Amino acid sequence: MASSTGDQSQAVRNGLRAKVLTLHSMNPRVRRVEYAVRGPIVQRALELEQELRQGVKKPFTEVIRANIGDAQAMGQRPITFLRQVLALCVNPDLLTSPSFPDDAKKRAERILQACGGHSLGAYSVSSGIQLIREDVAQYIERRDGGIPADPNNVFLSTGASDAIVTVLKLLVAGEGHTRTGVLIPIPQYPLYSATLAELGAVQVDYYLDEERAWALDVSELHRALCQARGHCHPRALCVINPGNPTGQVQTRECIEAVIRFAFEERLFLLADEVYQDNVYAAGSQFHSFKKVLMEMGPPYAGQQELASFHSTSKGYMGECGFRGGYVEVVNMDAAVQQQMLKLMSVRLCPPVPGQALLDLVVSPPAPTDPSFAQFQAERQAVLAELAAKAKLTEQVFNEAPGISCNPVQGAMYSFPRVQLPPRAVERAQELGLAPDMFFCLRLLEETGICVVPGSGFGQREGTYHFRMTILPPLEKLRLLLEKLSRFHAKFTLEYS
């Protein structure tokens, strides 16, 4: 408070009116928000790119942004069918062009018929275009082997992130010891910690087991829950499967155990399943929480509350910029579901081009369609290359002394553990930096490789990691991995 008063007094002495909104008067919850994926290290990467453009000499010729899962920014080509239909929807005059296949034209016409004024530029209803919600429900039903999905339980969203934030807003309540606690995995995707900080909820950490390829252990959930009940009211459990940043894929047995735990402890389940198409490792398979829940039967199937999320930003599509996504809610109280719709209505509607793209993802060309062969070939090529990159990343890192990397079973990232010499840790502390942030900053300044320190995702005390995407083209990724491994060896020698 004194500092705020001092700032105002200084402003008065300078003949200026003090600002109403200052760092001291702003919402303190917003100040506590941190988002490592686009944090300080990324700001420095932007500065370095600017310096390179200005001709400043560096030990590298480009900044390689391996910090974020942005496939097309890293060179992945868009899927032709998706872009053809979107082009037709955005500019219907092209519907008479012979350059587009007939099935793409039919899909565009179908989507436009469902839009207000037959235009992507019109608002939709807040929960999303009814036709697309029906297509999403049919997709979920096919994915889950015929288990029914109700389009009235499907809400379209601005990417998965917006839907996750909306559901968390519904869950957060109370003050002091009654504040809502939300269990999130550590390491976690920083959307969760940032949103909980902004909403004033309590983050309850449960640790994934690095020694068992980042497995989720229910005994660890029990530990975290019991510890949290002393200072908050835990009401929700988040699971990211396949994992971000850890790349693990949960087994069906694990998912069943998590559902039983959530049911017994009266926790609302949030299943972040945006990487469900990204499964690479032999023996690994994606199982949706919805499917497992329904197959478990009573009492779970009819009572356990669940929200599961999917997105067009990941998978084989990589269409991050269109911000398409959805949430399906299961066993949600009907009155709360109405409140959820009200909350979404405040934001008017998700981007309609993103809704159109989502429709194409959940109902791609059928085998009898002219576009099917090209679509399948492009899809399989993307996923096959990601599988090769996942294997290469694990292999190169595990050959490097002082770096260890669990198998990248799914998703788009590796989360290697790095050994840092005690002198490097001491130097980081002198600079007021987390040791892995110090390592990642030095890596960026000397090689142009931008990765995110593990401290931005959470990690066990005394361990150091970084997250990097496996998205660069294969040969570029190989060079990046080798360059990073050499830098670690040099860094270790320097501080030994």
Side-chain angles (χ1 to χ4, degrees):
M1 191 65 177
S3 177
S4 177
T5 306
D7 289 349
Q8 293 186 27
S9 301
Q10 183 64 44
V12 171
R13 284 196 295 274
N14 292 340
L16 300 170
R17 192 181 76 164
K19 293 193 182 295
V20 173
L21 184 62
T22 68
L23 216 64
H24 301 286
S25 66
M26 71 176 285
N27 184 341
R29 289 177 177 173
V30 174
R31 277 206 314 271
R32 288 196 289 271
V33 169
E34 293 183 7
Y35 188 65
V37 174
R38 292 177 183 254
I41 200 156
V42 182
Q43 294 304 311
R44 180 57 187 146
L46 289 169
E47 291 169 7
L48 287 170
E49 285 177 333
Q50 180 67 17
E51 290 172 19
L52 284 170
R53 282 194 293 271
Q54 293 168 350
V56 178
K57 294 296 181 190
K58 299 286 177 187
F60 48 87
T61 56
E62 67 172 330
V63 172
I64 302 173
R65 293 215 210 164
N67 61 294
I68 194 165
D70 190 349
Q72 294 185 24
M74 299 303 290
Q76 181 177 309
R77 291 180 60 80
I79 300 294
T80 302
F81 180 76
L82 305 185
R83 288 302 183 88
Q84 284 176 332
V85 179
L86 278 174
L88 292 163
C89 287
V90 171
N91 185 2
D93 289 346
L94 295 173
L95 286 165
T96 58
S97 168
S99 301
F100 294 84
D102 288 343
D103 57 334
K105 292 178 181 179
K106 286 175 184 171
R107 290 299 301 280
E109 287 169 342
R110 180 174 180 268
I111 291 168
L112 288 171
Q113 285 296 317
C115 295
H118 302 166
S119 171
L120 287 195
Y123 287 130
S124 76
V125 296
S126 299
S127 54
I129 294 168
Q130 179 66 22
L131 174 82
I132 299 176
R133 291 165 65 212
E134 290 169 0
D135 286 348
V136 170
Q138 288 172 17
Y139 159 78
I140 293 169
E141 195 167 319
R142 287 194 308 273
R143 181 199 67 188
D144 292 344
I147 293 169
D150 184 347
N152 293 317
N153 293 336
V154 172
F155 297 80
L156 309 190
S157 57
T158 308
S161 300
D162 202 48
I164 291 167
V165 171
T166 298
V167 174
L168 287 173
K169 282 180 180 176
L170 293 171
L171 283 157
V172 173
E175 298 290 338
H177 287 320
T178 67
R179 274 197 307 165
T180 293
V182 180
L183 280 77
I184 65 171
I186 298 296
Q188 52 107 21
Y189 176 52
L191 167 70
Y192 293 96
S193 55
T195 303
L196 296 178
E198 183 182 351
L199 297 177
V202 177
Q203 175 180 321
V204 179
D205 297 343
Y206 68 89
Y207 288 91
L208 301 176
D209 189 346
E210 185 171 11
E211 305 309 315
R212 295 195 299 123
W214 301 112
L216 195 168
D217 192 331
V218 170
S219 65
E220 171 60 13
L221 293 179
H222 277 291
R223 181 209 61 78
L225 186 71
C226 292
Q227 194 171 315
R229 282 188 168 144
H231 62 275
C232 70
H233 176 39
R235 301 180 72 199
L237 166 61
C238 298
V239 179
I240 308 172
N241 179 50
N244 175 10
T246 44
Q248 87 286 359
V249 178
Q250 303 296 355
T251 63
R252 184 190 171 95
E253 292 72 26
C254 174
I255 293 170
E256 287 181 3
V258 169
I259 290 170
R260 280 192 291 270
F261 171 81
F263 181 82
E264 289 160 8
E265 301 296 344
R266 293 182 53 78
L267 297 172
F268 190 107
L269 258 175
L270 289 86
D272 182 337
E273 298 175 333
V274 302
Y275 295 98
Q276 59 190 258
D277 288 312
N278 300 99
V279 177
Y280 319 119
S284 292
Q285 183 183 347
F286 171 74
H287 302 277
S288 79
F289 267 77
K290 159 83 177 294
K291 181 176 191 284
V292 175
L293 173 63
M294 291 300 138
E295 289 179 347
M296 287 173 72
Y300 311 103
Q303 296 183 51
Q304 176 59 49
E305 294 150 276
L306 168 70
S308 54
F309 308 90
H310 195 19
S311 165
T312 62
S313 299
K314 309 304 175 185
Y316 59 90
M317 308 80 69
E319 293 285 8
C320 304
F322 281 100
R323 309 307 298 129
Y326 74 78
V327 54
E328 182 192 21
V329 295
V330 177
N331 295 324
M332 179 179 269
D333 181 271
V336 173
Q337 204 157 316
Q338 283 302 309
Q339 294 295 311
M340 181 171 165
L341 179 58
K342 177 186 76 175
L343 202 52
M344 289 181 156
S345 300
V346 176
R347 306 284 284 274
L348 295 179
C349 70
V352 178
Q355 295 185 47
L357 181 73
L358 176 65
D359 190 67
L360 305 173
V361 169
V362 299
S363 51
T368 54
D369 291 337
S371 298
F372 178 77
Q374 183 180 8
F375 174 84
Q376 279 293 93
E378 290 176 354
R379 179 183 184 277
Q380 288 167 2
V382 170
L383 293 174
E385 186 169 7
L386 283 168
K389 292 172 183 177
K391 195 71 182 168
L392 177 70
T393 302
E394 176 194 353
Q395 176 190 332
V396 174
F397 278 147
N398 284 328
E399 287 172 355
I403 304 179
S404 59
C405 182
N406 271 315
V408 182
Q409 297 172 330
M412 298 178 169
Y413 315 97
S414 63
F415 197 66
R417 182 169 173 174
V418 285
Q419 293 176 15
L420 300 180
R423 282 185 57 223
V425 175
E426 290 166 14
R427 180 59 183 148
Q429 290 165 346
E430 289 168 9
L431 295 169
L433 297 171
D436 47 13
M437 172 63 91
F438 176 54
F439 172 81
C440 291
L441 279 170
R442 284 285 304 273
L443 173 71
L444 175 63
E445 296 286 350
E446 295 185 29
T447 68
I449 297 171
C450 180
V451 297
V452 189
S455 48
F457 300 87
Q459 55 197 348
R460 285 196 180 276
E461 189 72 30
T463 68
Y464 307 111
H465 302 79
F466 60 85
R467 186 192 83 158
M468 63 161 279
T469 176
I470 62 169
L471 291 171
L474 196 58
E475 284 315 305
K476 195 171 194 176
L477 178 66
R478 187 187 302 276
L479 293 172
L480 182 158
L481 294 168
E482 291 169 353
K483 197 174 185 180
L484 201 156
S485 300
R486 286 196 300 272
F487 171 81
H488 178 262
K490 174 178 170 291
F491 181 88
T492 301
L493 189 62
E494 181 182 344
Y495 285 98
S496 293

